[in-house]
């Protein structure tokens, strides 16, 4: 019986590995392809906020985005970052008011959520292993709950578990999220750690930088000029 079981596994395991490799190649092939144009369907959009300048840059981007297309919107910030969500609420209230005044189609109300941080400032690397696992589990739950079609982020560490979860969902066929990463304007000569991970691991569908020097060093990135 044991020999029969070993033979079965020797036959099945290569097939499973081949299926997994084919699926990875399929996902990587379609990653970066443009979103199908649609004038009628909106896109569930997850926006990752970070403390300080990250939130200011992200809200500046959201202010000029085609808001009736990228809706409903879900803003996610670190568990200890209440200020970013307050600023996002102010922006959404302003957008809703603009929509009412102009007579445009009303957009769905935004939702505001928090996620556990992988590592707090000053936290030891040993204890951060546990918090990273908690953050990843929380990110998987949020991704399953939101099922975003678009993820927009610009550098805070909280974006890594969320983008990794979205990519895992792609591999498993549970959903497809287009990840748009905009590197912070403060990054002139080198990428942030979050940006470097998303670039090297091919997790981002579109990768944007705001300085030409960065685009020369990372040719898959798109130079868009200063967005602030």
């Amino acid at each position: 019986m044991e020999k029969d079981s070993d033979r079965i596994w020797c036959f099945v395991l290569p097939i499973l590995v081949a299926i997994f490799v084919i699926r990875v190649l399929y996902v990587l092939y379609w990653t970066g392809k443009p979103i199908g144009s649609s004038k009628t369907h909106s896109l569930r959009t997850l926006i990752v906020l970070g403390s300080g300048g990250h939130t200011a840059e992200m809200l500046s981007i959201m202010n000029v985005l085609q808001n009736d297309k990228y809706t409903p919107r879900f803003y996610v910030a670190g568990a200890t970052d209440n200020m970013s969500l307050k600023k996002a609420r102010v922006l959404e209230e302003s957008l809703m008011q603009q929509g009412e005044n102009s007579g445009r189609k009303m957009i769905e109300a935004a939702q505001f959520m928090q996620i556990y941080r992988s590592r707090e400032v000053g936290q030891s690397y040993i204890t951060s292993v546990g918090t990273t696992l908690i953050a990843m589990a929380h990110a998987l739950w949020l991704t399953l709950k939101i099922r975003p079609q678009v993820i927009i982020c610009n550098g805070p560490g909280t974006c890594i578990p969320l983008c990794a979860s979205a990519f895992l969902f792609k591999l498993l066929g549970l959903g497809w999220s287009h990840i748009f990463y905009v590197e912070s304007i403060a990054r002139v000569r080198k990428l942030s750690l979050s940006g470097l991970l998303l670039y090297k691991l091919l997790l981002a569908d579109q990768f944007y930088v705001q300085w030409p020097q960065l685009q020369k060093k990372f040719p898959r990135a798109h130079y868009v000029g200063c967005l602030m």
Side-chain angles (χ1 to χ4, degrees), residues 128-202:
S128 67
V129 174
T131 53
T132 298
L133 293 175
I134 293 173
M136 192 64 202
H138 195 191
L140 287 168
W141 179 80
L142 284 176
T143 305
L144 182 62
K145 179 181 180 180
I146 298 172
R147 294 298 179 94
Q149 295 164 283
V150 173
I151 297 177
I152 305 175
C153 50
N154 68 340
T158 47
C159 76
I160 296 299
L162 289 166
C163 291
S165 298
F167 193 80
L168 179 61
F169 274 49
K170 286 183 183 181
L171 292 178
L172 298 177
L174 299 176
W176 195 281
S177 301
H178 293 266
I179 300 173
F180 295 88
Y181 183 85
V182 184
E183 185 57 278
S184 171
I185 194 173
R187 294 292 175 169
V188 179
R189 300 189 181 280
K190 62 180 182 178
L191 298 176
S192 62
L193 179 58
S194 298
L196 190 63
L197 287 172
L198 292 179
Y199 185 90
K200 294 293 187 181
L201 296 177
L202 304 176

Side-chain angles (χ1 to χ4, degrees), residues 32 48 117 121 127 159 170 177 181 213 228:
V48 186
R117 291 180 182 271
V121 177
T127 58
C159 76
K170 286 183 183 181
S177 301
Y181 183 85
Q213 304 95 305
M228 287 291 287

Side-chain angles (χ1 to χ4, degrees), residues 2-225:
E2 291 183 2
K3 290 183 178 179
D4 291 340
S5 177
D6 291 341
R7 290 195 189 98
I8 292 173
W9 273 111
C10 288
F11 176 74
V12 171
L13 188 58
I15 295 176
L16 293 177
V17 171
I19 292 173
F20 178 76
V21 171
I22 291 171
R23 179 62 186 177
V24 170
L25 293 175
Y26 173 84
V27 169
L28 291 177
Y29 174 78
W30 283 104
T31 294
K33 297 294 188 293
I35 300 175
S37 59
S38 173
K39 296 182 179 179
T40 57
H41 296 125
S42 58
L43 298 168
R44 297 170 65 85
T45 303
L46 189 158
I47 302 105
V48 186
L49 302 176
S51 56
H54 288 300
T55 291
E57 289 186 40
M58 181 56 68
L59 296 184
S60 178
I61 293 171
M62 298 308 301
N63 195 38
V64 298
L65 204 64
Q66 189 179 347
N67 293 296
D68 55 348
K69 179 176 181 180
Y70 296 94
T71 183
R73 290 188 292 281
F74 302 83
Y75 292 88
V76 178
T80 57
D81 183 10
N82 295 314
M83 186 59 66
S84 292
L85 293 182
K86 288 180 180 178
K87 292 178 179 178
R89 285 191 175 93
V90 171
L91 172 66
E92 284 296 322
E93 290 172 1
S94 172
L95 293 175
M96 293 289 285
Q97 187 64 44
Q98 290 175 21
E100 293 176 1
N101 293 339
S102 64
R104 294 198 306 266
K105 176 185 175 182
M106 291 296 294
I107 59 177
E108 295 185 47
Q111 297 186 40
F112 306 89
M113 304 174 174
Q114 291 180 301
I115 183 174
Y116 289 109
R117 291 180 182 271
S118 299
R119 182 174 179 268
E120 295 288 352
V121 177
Q123 182 181 354
S124 69
Y125 288 103
I126 295 176
T127 58
S128 67
V129 174
T131 53
T132 298
L133 293 175
I134 293 173
M136 192 64 202
H138 195 191
L140 287 168
W141 179 80
L142 284 176
T143 305
L144 182 62
K145 179 181 180 180
I146 298 172
R147 294 298 179 94
Q149 295 164 283
V150 173
I151 297 177
I152 305 175
C153 50
N154 68 340
T158 47
C159 76
I160 296 299
L162 289 166
C163 291
S165 298
F167 193 80
L168 179 61
F169 274 49
K170 286 183 183 181
L171 292 178
L172 298 177
L174 299 176
W176 195 281
S177 301
H178 293 266
I179 300 173
F180 295 88
Y181 183 85
V182 184
E183 185 57 278
S184 171
I185 194 173
R187 294 292 175 169
V188 179
R189 300 189 181 280
K190 62 180 182 178
L191 298 176
S192 62
L193 179 58
S194 298
L196 190 63
L197 287 172
L198 292 179
Y199 185 90
K200 294 293 187 181
L201 296 177
L202 304 176
L203 297 184
D205 290 83
Q206 299 293 333
F207 197 101
Y208 301 100
V209 295
Q210 302 186 55
W211 295 97
Q213 304 95 305
L214 278 180
Q215 198 279 328
K216 291 177 181 178
K217 292 177 67 175
F218 301 93
R220 282 191 287 107
H222 302 280
Y223 169 60
V224 292

